[in-house]
Amino acid sequence: MKQMVRVLLIVIGSISLVLGVLGIVLPLVPTTPFLLLTGACYVRSSDRLYNWLMSNKWFGSYIKNYKAGRGIPVRAKVSLLIMIWFSFLFSAFYITSHPLLRAGFIFGGFFFTVLILRTKTYDSENEPS
């Protein structure tokens, strides 16, 4: 069972990594949350993959900035909020007709918006060289 969980975490982390890479070039796909998920999956399943991710010149900085308390870049926050509200409102008004489910989707949108806005914003332009 332990080996199966390890493989599942590697698969989820790898899918999340692909989505994070897409987020680098696609404006509505967030990068940082997917890379954080990748890091969380890899740290629990494979030291080799986690070390590769953290030392990677393209992906490592996203995770290191978040872990160091510097926060999430503005672009990632905006992408996250757009994606959350699009998917939650679409689900609330086109997927379900039940009023409690609609309210739950809208509440979820507000909940995650508050979480994202309360997370520190990383400003790479003001970082010392």
Side-chain angles (χ1 to χ4, degrees), residues 6 10 14 17 38-39 41-56:
R6 184 174 178 264
I10 290 172
S14 298
L17 177 62
T38 301
C41 289
Y42 284 176
V43 78
R44 289 170 177 79
S45 60
S46 170
D47 289 336
R48 184 178 57 83
L49 289 173
Y50 180 73
N51 290 332
W52 169 81
L53 181 70
M54 294 303 289
S55 63
N56 187 285

Side-chain angles (χ1 to χ4, degrees), residues 17-128:
L17 177 62
V18 169
L19 292 172
V21 169
L22 287 174
I24 292 172
V25 294
L26 297 175
L28 292 179
V29 180
T31 300
T32 305
F34 286 121
L35 294 180
L36 291 174
L37 177 60
T38 301
C41 289
Y42 284 176
V43 78
R44 289 170 177 79
S45 60
S46 170
D47 289 336
R48 184 178 57 83
L49 289 173
Y50 180 73
N51 290 332
W52 169 81
L53 181 70
M54 294 303 289
S55 63
N56 187 285
K57 69 179 183 178
W58 293 297
F59 314 129
S61 65
Y62 283 98
I63 300 168
K64 288 176 186 172
N65 287 331
Y66 185 81
K67 285 179 68 176
R70 292 185 198 114
I72 300 174
V74 173
R75 182 174 178 254
K77 282 187 171 190
V78 170
S79 296
L80 267 170
L81 291 172
I82 289 170
M83 188 175 71
I84 285 170
W85 280 106
F86 175 77
S87 61
F88 278 48
L89 289 175
F90 180 82
S91 298
F93 293 105
Y94 294 104
I95 302 298
T96 185
S97 60
H98 195 277
L100 285 176
L101 288 176
R102 283 185 177 171
F105 279 117
I106 293 170
F107 173 79
F110 281 111
F111 176 78
F112 287 111
T113 297
V114 169
L115 286 179
I116 291 165
L117 293 178
R118 289 188 59 164
T119 302
K120 189 174 180 179
T121 302
Y122 175 63
D123 183 10
S124 61
E125 293 176 9
N126 292 332
E127 188 162 299

